[in-house]
Amino acid sequence: MTVSALGALEKVEFDKAIRKAVKDEIQNTDKKVVENNAILKRIENRQNSSENETALRNKLNAFKIGFVINVVVFIAFGVMFLLQDNKIEHLKRVEWLYRWSRIGRTDTEEYQDFERRMLDGKKEEREGMKAKIFNMERNAPQFLYFRPVDDWKPEPPEPPKAVETEQSKPKAETKPKPLPHEQRSHLTPGEVQAIKDMRANPHIPEDAKPELPDGYE
């Protein structure tokens, strides 16, 4: 087959164009790959940065929570110690008040017995003394400055048991009247049977037969 010079030239140019197009496409593809890799790298860096920010944020939140808890605990302990100090101070003042009232007692033996019962006595002794004090306070001066802490009160007395009247008592069941042979002062079952046998005996005259009492038919 004969090929003209123009045809050969066109074929050469066509091959060059194909190679150039392929080369350009490869270069564009490589460029796109590089760009895509750069984009992926930026995305990865942003993701890592976001994860770091999230971790840092979580650490900061945990630190804030721990700080708040420590502050609350510190304040609670401070309040507790303050209240404890106030309570101890109050008890000291009450102790001095007790000592003042104690020196005015002339009967030391009775007062010492009261101290023993209240401090070292049994529960029944303490409650007995407390009930006595509670009842005596009704006629004593009212408290103006001293405020008792213990709100103990004696147990109320039990209500008296109601007395049963004759009408409230359950009535006893009435038993039927016993037969004569069931009574101690009358005939026994053997004696009744003997009388029946004698009355049934034809050899005994009628006027000699004993009478059977009523109720033994």
Side-chain angles (χ1 to χ4, degrees):
M1 179 178 179
T2 305
V3 180
S4 62
L6 181 60
L9 181 60
E10 290 179 354
K11 184 176 183 305
V12 171
E13 293 296 330
F14 178 76
D15 292 339
K16 288 182 179 180
I18 292 297
R19 285 196 297 270
K20 186 176 183 305
V22 172
K23 183 179 180 180
D24 293 341
E25 185 65 24
I26 292 174
Q27 291 178 352
N28 292 334
T29 302
D30 293 339
K31 185 178 179 181
K32 289 181 180 179
V33 170
V34 173
E35 292 178 353
N36 291 337
N37 290 335
I39 293 173
L40 292 175
K41 188 65 177 178
R42 287 196 297 270
I43 293 174
E44 183 179 358
N45 293 334
R46 290 178 181 177
Q47 183 177 1
N48 294 333
S49 177
S50 177
E51 291 177 355
N52 293 333
E53 291 178 358
T54 303
L56 182 60
R57 190 179 297 107
N58 292 335
K59 291 182 180 179
L60 290 175
N61 292 335
F63 175 77
K64 291 179 181 178
I65 294 174
F67 179 76
V68 171
I69 293 175
N70 291 332
V71 170
V72 172
V73 171
F74 178 78
I75 294 175
F77 273 103
V79 172
M80 184 180 66
F81 283 122
L82 180 61
L83 294 177
Q84 187 71 15
D85 290 340
N86 292 337
K87 185 177 181 180
I88 294 175
E89 180 63 25
H90 177 73
L91 291 177
K92 289 180 179 179
R93 296 178 184 179
V94 172
E95 181 181 285
W96 282 105
L97 181 63
Y98 166 74
R99 292 168 64 175
W100 167 258
S101 62
R102 188 177 185 276
I103 60 178
R105 293 284 179 173
T106 56
D107 190 351
T108 58
E109 183 177 355
E110 179 183 1
Y111 203 72
Q112 288 175 356
D113 181 67
F114 166 75
E115 290 178 334
R116 179 193 64 78
R117 294 188 182 192
M118 185 60 65
L119 299 177
D120 300 329
K122 298 180 179 179
K123 180 180 179 182
E124 293 77 10
E125 291 182 291
R126 291 195 302 271
E127 291 187 351
M129 298 302 297
K130 288 160 68 175
K132 181 178 180 180
I133 295 172
F134 180 84
N135 294 325
M136 292 177 64
E137 283 179 343
R138 299 180 180 179
N139 299 324
Q142 299 295 320
F143 294 117
L144 295 180
Y145 302 100
F146 178 71
R147 296 291 182 270
V149 178
D150 192 356
D151 56 354
W152 180 91
K153 293 181 181 180
E155 295 290 337
E158 297 182 358
K161 297 181 179 180
V163 180
E164 296 184 357
T165 60
E166 294 295 332
Q167 296 180 354
S168 61
K169 292 181 179 180
K171 295 182 179 180
E173 297 181 358
T174 56
K175 297 182 179 180
K177 185 178 180 181
L179 295 174
H181 69 274
E182 296 176 344
Q183 300 180 6
R184 295 181 180 179
S185 60
H186 288 72
L187 301 176
T188 63
E191 293 173 339
V192 173
Q193 186 63 38
I195 293 174
K196 289 182 179 181
D197 293 341
M198 292 176 65
R199 290 183 62 81
N201 192 342
H203 301 288
I204 300 175
E206 291 294 332
D207 56 352
K209 294 179 179 180
E211 295 291 336
L212 186 65
D214 295 337
Y216 292 97
E217 298 295 336

